[in-house]
Amino acid sequence: MDLLGDPAGDAPEAIRMDGRAVSRADLFARAAAVAAEIGGAEAVAVHAVPTVETVVAVVGGILAGVPVVPLPPDSGPAERDHILGDSGARLLLAARDAWDPADGGPPLVPVDALPSGTSAPPSPRPPDDATALILYTSGTTGAPKGVQISRAAIAAGLDALAEAWKWTAGDVLVHGLPLFHVHGLVLGVLGALRVGSPLVHTGRPRPAAYAAAADEHGGSLFFGVPTVWSRVCEDAASAEALRRARLLVSGSAPLPVPVFDRLAELTGHRPVERYGMTETLITVSARADGDRRPGHVGTPLPGVETRLAADDGSPVPFDGETPGELQVRAPMLFSGYLGRPEATAAAYTPDGWFRTGDIAVIGPDGWHRIVGRASTDLIKSGGYRIGAGEVENALLAHPAVREAAVVGTPHPDLGEQVTAYVVADGVAGQELIDFVAERLSAHKRPRVVHLVDALPRNAMGKVVKSRLGEGAGKSA
């Protein structure tokens, strides 16, 4: 089976998005026109707003065998320029009115202005090991890295999830997640197309929109990040509507146990949790027909191997108590960081296991529980993974800032919020928040800035982030 299944499927509606419904045949016909336009390009960027044109553009890139680089619509100039330059994208795909030429970038291909082509995919079909997507993920230091994901990796990951979640063409998938990450794009769009299930994208993941999709469109499979499910729990009427669903899936960050319990009480569904990264796609999950345990992310998917390692590399037992770094081997792993062979090599152990950087506990029965991050520099806020180093670099670009350290601190809705400790002269905290928001994606801006006289450092001069809250100064 091709990555996206049969282009001529008989579903009258493949995608419902931004108030429009598109059949599978029409979607692939429009995508074929895109494929004809971009064939041979080194890579193409897609302005990843939640519209039909974005899906057409991504599918067109996959049909053409051209790597697709989703561009977050809220990217600041520095982040956008880095992604476009680092990826080698030679064209930008977007609707005619969705991209401001003043923002620069490569030549625009107006997806909505192309005549529909044939629904037949280009020939020959791209090889399975060809890169389908280049997704940019925030590292803990420096600029984001391009994660190359092959067609074979995507197919393996989606097939494993379809088996685990009993996901079939008879489902109607509902979500309102961004289309530039694994959760919303790979699982939430490509997964629906590969399985053949219609997708209803709600634009934003609001509880009332999820409830309406359950009532009006027969939504049976719902995706959300913990923030979404937390908000559903605050809206009893919307939660009641989700009793009609078959499965609720939570991911991108740990689901707090109280939210798990409250969601089960209000909807009648114990949510399925799963674990993965941009580099690995989804490797561990609970099952639709199995147990679902609060605070746990399940067991390895078919074809996935996991192990725990101590700081010295020695094995950690699966005793349900001893933590270790989670390492994985799987067919859905990435092909490497674009243009960064040294970073790619460093991400693997000498014997070929991927180092996730997450700390986990595994029980004798194989159930996994993620207990923390090997580093304090990856912040999970509202389902996003945010690299502290990237935000620190943005703060340090302000002429008044002398030092900056960024951490995640608890937030009742987002899970974690971006909190900055800054040594600066003559500048207010809100000005620094706005300064970062102008340069990076809006969700990466600090929500709190503490202006301090100095940052705590050890004898080697390294900031001790565990002591950042001691004696914090004025906040904004």
Side-chain angles (χ1 to χ4, degrees):
M1 180 172 67
D2 192 27
L3 175 57
L4 300 180
D6 181 7
D10 56 5
E13 184 175 304
I15 292 175
R16 179 175 290 273
M17 187 176 292
D18 60 70
R20 293 179 287 166
V22 180
S23 70
R24 188 175 183 91
D26 185 38
L27 170 64
F28 276 85
R30 294 176 61 184
V34 173
E37 190 77 13
I38 66 175
E42 180 180 344
V44 294
V46 173
H47 184 46
V49 291
T51 65
V52 168
E53 283 73 29
T54 294
V55 177
V56 169
V58 171
V59 173
I62 289 174
L63 292 180
V66 175
V68 172
V69 184
L71 190 64
D74 62 350
S75 296
E79 182 179 11
R80 181 185 66 238
D81 292 348
H82 168 73
I83 292 174
L84 291 172
D86 186 73
S87 67
R90 295 293 178 259
L91 299 169
L92 175 66
L93 278 55
R96 283 169 291 185
D97 299 330
W99 184 262
D100 185 351
D103 288 336
L108 175 67
V109 175
V111 175
D112 54 340
L114 298 176
S116 290
T118 172
S119 61
S123 183
R125 195 177 81 182
D128 289 343
D129 61 356
T131 298
L133 297 173
I134 302 174
L135 301 178
Y136 276 79
T137 180
S138 294
T140 56
T141 59
K145 297 189 289 290
V147 177
Q148 301 175 100
I149 305 177
S150 72
R151 300 168 67 90
I154 293 173
L158 294 177
D159 289 349
L161 288 177
E163 178 181 335
W165 298 343
K166 306 301 179 186
W167 187 2
T168 71
D171 279 305
V172 175
L173 172 62
V174 178
H175 73 86
L177 303 172
L179 301 187
F180 49 90
H181 285 314
V182 167
H183 199 167
L185 178 59
V186 179
L187 277 61
V189 174
L190 303 186
L193 291 173
R194 183 168 177 83
V195 170
S197 63
L199 164 65
V200 177
H201 193 282
T202 60
R204 299 291 296 274
R206 296 187 176 95
Y210 276 33
D215 289 339
E216 299 170 17
H217 304 295
S220 61
L221 177 60
F222 287 76
F223 290 171
V225 300
T227 300
V228 172
W229 300 124
S230 175
R231 291 173 182 172
V232 167
C233 290
E234 296 171 356
D235 184 341
S238 294
E240 178 66 24
L242 294 185
R243 287 184 176 273
R244 300 173 180 82
R246 181 181 69 83
L247 201 67
L248 308 183
V249 178
S250 183
S252 297
L255 184 68
V257 171
V259 177
F260 181 106
D261 292 339
R262 182 63 172 159
L263 194 62
E265 176 187 349
L266 292 174
T267 69
H269 297 287
R270 293 169 66 83
V272 162
E273 291 192 70
R274 82 300 184 284
Y275 167 82
M277 302 175 64
T278 305
E279 292 92 337
T280 67
L281 302 184
I282 308 305
T283 52
V284 178
S285 180
R287 306 303 200 266
D289 57 359
D291 193 10
R292 304 170 205 172
R293 304 177 188 175
H296 292 71
V297 293
T299 57
L301 292 171
V304 176
E305 298 175 84
T306 62
R307 71 182 186 187
L308 299 177
D311 289 343
D312 61 2
S314 61
V316 170
F318 290 9
D319 59 8
E321 297 181 3
T322 307
E325 183 194 33
L326 182 62
Q327 299 176 354
V328 301
R329 287 197 304 199
M332 59 280 288
L333 264 61
F334 75 136
S335 305
Y337 296 113
L338 180 65
R340 302 192 185 192
E342 293 182 357
T344 302
Y348 286 87
T349 64
D351 57 347
W353 292 70
F354 178 76
R355 308 174 191 266
T356 68
D358 283 318
I359 303 302
V361 170
I362 302 177
D365 57 0
W367 271 77
H368 290 50
R369 179 166 54 91
I370 308 300
V371 298
R373 184 69 187 167
S375 165
T376 60
D377 291 328
L378 191 67
I379 302 164
K380 296 180 179 180
S381 180
Y384 293 103
R385 288 172 174 255
I386 302 166
E390 187 182 8
V391 183
E392 289 164 357
N393 288 340
L395 286 165
L396 290 168
H398 193 287
V401 173
R402 290 186 280 130
E403 297 180 88
V406 170
V407 294
T409 58
H411 188 279
D413 188 28
L414 300 173
E416 285 187 315
Q417 67 180 3
V418 179
T419 299
Y421 294 81
V422 178
V423 180
D425 299 315
V427 64
Q430 187 60 49
E431 181 181 341
L432 295 176
I433 293 172
D434 295 341
F435 182 81
V436 173
E438 291 172 359
R439 284 154 179 77
L440 302 178
S441 300
H443 64 266
K444 296 179 180 178
R445 73 191 187 283
R447 290 180 174 267
V448 176
V449 171
H450 297 288
L451 297 172
V452 297
D453 295 328
L455 300 179
R457 297 181 182 273
N458 61 18
M460 300 297 292
K462 182 178 179 180
V463 175
V464 182
K465 290 194 170 182
S466 61
R467 293 173 48 203
L468 280 173
E470 299 175 7
K474 182 180 178 181
S475 301

